[in-house]
């Protein structure tokens, strides 16, 4: 069967209904539905223990669900696991590479296990090493690789057979910022070539950057789904945050800004800071500053804020998407 | 591609990987090969003068027993190697690949034949140095080594199952000692079995380790002239008995090991 000629149900390459999985008393997945149309990227976003890895493990045949059904590229994950495995590539949280083998030997072995044959396996290994900027390290044992290089090798391993569906489970967890961005570029390239991708992440900016559609999961259930923009809208649109020099003039500032606001103006924490919901972006900010200046109101600070996925996540799950076990793992964007 | 062909094809890919690892970390090999030398020398010089074999030399009697014991101990290497594999990240990759679920074990047992070939070669050389000689025909000697390798290969499937059942490679060694020591000592490996007391004698006579030892002794021409014919059937037909055991072990333990691999890799 050609890699792109797989039969799919209703244009969805990945389709899951009512997936459930419990480990002893802990319910990891509690009735998860999801569908990923061909050629799109679904980001599964959630904190540690939300059920992301369990979902990926079921969809990649590594785990049998207690209940529910799922098909991947037209094959049932429980009844036809071998067919599913032929059509998917997986890169997990821990780089699944053989440390003693070189980068080339790792990819060559995977190619042979996908039954590409000797010649195609070797050619494909060289091709992927070049594409993932690992040519210079190709003949060094993988244990000499940096964390970022290992992840790239692992990702290359997932792509050896040119499969139509890829699963990436937290592909950048634990990487430094430069390696993350490098990996994003590689992932974007493969999506551009038509690969259907399911990506899990606990980094909101990563989902924002890579996914067409985001499903927020927590406690083994989907709690929201939409495009990155739709999710941001759930927490409200853009707003001006203005801090006046003296709390005494906050009231007059409020009446000056009222005509520009698209909703109710609220104080934010301190009485001298106002949150003004607006639509229209920078021109409205300029107008607001002119009006405040004309009214003789002195301001100490002003900014235009767009809601981030962090805001959305906080609103939806009620707890912060902080990764406790990764102190200073290069997430410099947690705005104050 | 049917199941068996897939298992062999993919198993060879895994065996190739294991061989690359042996070449890259040869230190492991060194220790595996030093112990047989040590065994030959210890037994030859410590027991060699204390134990008398009617009509022959103990050293000559001994070597076949050491061959048998060493290839059986060599099987623990399979268990430890597999237990170690299961802890490695690459297994995550193997799980998601459309490869035979038997491949990792088939590959491991196949590549471990190399260890047994090397340790037999080293033991044979050490044996020649301390006075052991092949007194039979060349063809018989080849069959002798082949049957040792066959039995070792079969035994490595038992250890493969053990390796998949235990939580870490270290446990394999401890667990296997409990089985391998009695099995290799309550036999004709180091002393003639007819000197053993009642029930132990019967056990020794039907112990496949005795048969493989007896087979090697006969094929290498190390049975002193005038030795009385063994009375037990297994020792009268040691080659056939060893072959039956080898196939029986594979037939029972290969499916068990593969089933256990599936259980461990898919929960």
């Amino acid at each position: 069967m050609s890699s792109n000629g797989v039969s799919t149900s209703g244009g969805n390459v990945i389709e899951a209904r009512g997936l459930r999985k419990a480990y002893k008393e802990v319910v990891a997945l509690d009735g998860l539905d999801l569908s990923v149309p061909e050629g799109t990227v679904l980001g599964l976003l959630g904190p540690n223990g939300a059920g992301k890895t369990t979902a990926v493990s079921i969809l990649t045949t590594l785990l049998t669900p207690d209940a529910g059904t799922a098909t991947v590229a037209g094959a049932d994950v429980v009844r036809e696991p071998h067919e599913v495995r032929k059509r998917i590539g997986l890169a997990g949280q821990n780089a699944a590479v053989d440390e003693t083998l070189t980068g080339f030997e790792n990819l060559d072995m995977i190619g042979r296990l996908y039954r590409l044959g000797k010649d195609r396996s070797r050619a494909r290994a060289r091709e992927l090493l070049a594409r993932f900027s690992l040519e210079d390290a190709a003949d060094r044992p993988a244990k000499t690789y940096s964390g970022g290089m290992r992840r790239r090798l692992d990702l290359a391993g997932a792509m050896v057979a040119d499969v139509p569906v890829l699963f990436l489970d937290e592909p950048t967890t634990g990487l430094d910022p430069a390696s993350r961005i490098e990996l994003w570029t590689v992932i974007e390239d493969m999506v551009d070539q038509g690969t259907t991708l399911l990506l899990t992440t606990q980094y909101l900016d990563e989902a924002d950057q890579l996914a067409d559609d985001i499903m927020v999961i927590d406690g083994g259930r989907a709690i929201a789904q939409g495009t990155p923009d739709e999710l941001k809208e759930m927490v409200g649109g853009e707003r001006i945050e203005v801090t006046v020099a003296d709390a005494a003039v906050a009231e007059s500032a409020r009446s000056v800004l009222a005509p520009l606001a698209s909703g109710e103006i609220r104080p934010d924490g301190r009485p001298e800071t106002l949150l003004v919901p607006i639509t229209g972006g920078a021109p409205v900010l300029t107008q607001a500053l002119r009006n405040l200046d004309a009214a003789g109101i002195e301001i100490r600070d002003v900014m235009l804020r767009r809601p981030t996925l962090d805001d959305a996540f906080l609103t939806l799950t009620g707890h912060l998407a902080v990764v406790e076990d990764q102190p200073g793992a290069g997430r410099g964007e947690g705005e104050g | 591609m049917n199941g068996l062909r897939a298992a062999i094809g993919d198993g060879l890919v895994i065996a190739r990987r294991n061989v690359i690892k042996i070449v890259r970390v040869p230190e492991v090999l060194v220790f595996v090969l030093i112990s047989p030398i040590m065994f030959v020398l210890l037994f030859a010089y410590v027991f060699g003068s204390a134990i008398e074999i009617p009509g022959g030399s103990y050293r000559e009697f001994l070597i076949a027993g050491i061959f048998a014991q060493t290839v059986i101990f060599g099987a623990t290497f399979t268990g430890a190697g597999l237990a170690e594999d299961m802890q490695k990240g690459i297994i995550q990759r193997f799980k998601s690949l459309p490869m035979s679920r038997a491949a990792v074990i088939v590959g491991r047992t196949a590549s471990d034949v190399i260890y047994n070939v090397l340790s037999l070669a080293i033991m044979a050389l050490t044996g020649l140095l301390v006075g052991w000689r092949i007194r039979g025909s060349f063809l018989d000697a080849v069959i002798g080594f082949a049957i040792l390798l066959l039995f070792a290969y079969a035994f490595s499937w038992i250890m493969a199952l053990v390796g998949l059942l235990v939580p870490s490679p270290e446990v394999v060694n401890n667990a296997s000692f409990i089985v391998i020591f009695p099995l290799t000592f309550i036999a004709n490996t180091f002393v003639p079995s007819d000197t053993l007391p009642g029930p132990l004698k019967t056990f020794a006579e039907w112990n496949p380790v005795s048969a493989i030892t007896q087979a090697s002794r006969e094929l290498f021409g190390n049975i002193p002239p005038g030795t009385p014919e063994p009375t037990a059937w297994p020792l009268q037909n040691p080659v056939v008995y060893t072959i039956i055991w080898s196939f029986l072990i594979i037939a029972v333990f290969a499916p068990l090991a593969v089933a256990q691999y599936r259980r461990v890799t898919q929960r």
Side-chain angles (χ1 to χ4, degrees), chain B residues 39-69:
Chain B
F39 267 123
V40 172
L41 296 179
L42 275 181
F43 276 94
Y45 289 102
V46 177
F47 295 113
S49 42
I51 299 174
E52 296 260 324
I53 299 296
S57 100
Y58 180 64
R59 282 187 199 167
E60 197 143 309
F61 174 87
L62 168 80
I63 294 293
I66 293 183
F67 282 176
Q69 191 188 42

Side-chain angles (χ1 to χ4, degrees), chain A residues 61-64 82 85-86 90 96 98 100-102 105 108-110 112-115 154 158, chain B residues 1 6 10 13 16-17 20-21 24-25 89-90 92-99 101 265-267:
Chain A
T61 78
L62 304 188
L63 208 59
T64 313
H82 196 75
R85 290 180 198 129
K86 280 188 199 166
L90 165 68
D98 193 307
T100 323
L101 300 194
T102 65
E105 286 163 347
D108 178 45
M109 173 178 70
I110 295 170
R112 288 167 195 240
L113 291 171
Y114 270 115
R115 313 238 163 82
D154 190 34
Chain B
M1 197 182 284
D10 294 344
V13 177
R16 191 167 161 272
R17 165 229 181 209
I20 294 174
K21 290 167 85 87
R24 212 144 286 164
V25 195
I90 190 70
Q92 295 299 121
R93 168 68 60 208
F94 291 158
K95 284 185 198 172
S96 70
L97 290 178
M99 61 193 271
R101 302 288 106 175
T265 54
Q266 182 168 26
R267 262 166 285 196

Side-chain angles (χ1 to χ4, degrees), chain B residues 164-181:
Chain B
L164 292 167
L165 286 168
V166 298
S168 83
E170 292 78 25
V171 184
V172 175
N173 288 324
N174 298 333
S176 53
F177 266 52
I178 302 171
V179 180
I180 292 181
F181 258 105

